[in-house]
Amino acid sequence: MAACFDLPVDLIEPMGFAWGDRALSRAGMDYAASARVTRHADWAAFLSTVSGRIALLTTRGATRLDATIFQPDDILLLGAESSGVPPEVHDRADTRVIIPLVPGLRSLNVAVAAAIATGEALRQINGWPADQPI
């Protein structure tokens, strides 16, 4: 998704998944080489690079996705599917966003949540890539 929309990806250690050439080739198909990926040693290293707002997707969100107003320099942050983000990360977020679900259901797969939120943010900021010739 990031490669297709020319969006940067920041990976913050420690991660809850394996990252390496084998995992990347399996998950990234033939787009992985086009993705702009930066790995950060820890949360502090990531924060030192942040210039925009951090919009955290969380099941403990304060603002529904459809009520969130995104800005062009926003960073969409997602945590681990199983545990989310640590309290200090949750507290640091400039805005917390929840994707509304039907009652009784807990959450979405992190990749699906990322795609839904990214689509809404790109729509709002008119950030979709230019049209491709057919």
Side-chain angles (χ1 to χ4, degrees):
M1 181 183 76
C4 289
F5 298 138
D6 192 28
L7 300 170
V9 174
D10 291 273
L11 300 174
I12 305 166
E13 301 282 353
M15 297 180 298
F17 56 91
W19 183 260
D21 291 340
R22 185 174 178 189
L24 184 59
S25 65
R26 185 183 75 245
M29 301 184 304
D30 56 342
Y31 298 140
S34 298
R36 295 185 288 140
V37 178
T38 303
R39 289 179 72 174
H40 303 276
D42 55 30
W43 176 244
F46 168 72
L47 281 179
S48 72
T49 69
V50 170
S51 59
R53 289 188 322 165
I54 295 176
L56 174 65
L57 272 69
T58 175
T59 58
R60 298 180 295 154
T63 307
R64 287 171 50 111
L65 175 66
D66 54 335
T68 301
I69 299 172
F70 290 99
Q71 301 170 7
D73 62 348
D74 280 350
I75 297 165
L76 300 181
L77 181 66
L78 295 94
E81 284 184 15
S82 59
S83 59
V85 298
E88 65 273 12
V89 174
H90 200 275
D91 293 344
R92 170 53 183 84
D94 298 296
T95 187
R96 289 168 212 64
V97 180
I98 189 166
I99 298 173
L101 304 175
V102 298
L105 299 181
R106 195 173 59 249
S107 65
L108 295 166
N109 167 283
V110 70
V112 172
I116 291 169
T118 298
E120 176 60 14
L122 289 174
R123 183 192 68 78
Q124 285 188 26
I125 67 168
N126 196 25
W128 292 102
D131 290 339
Q132 300 287 324
I134 297 176

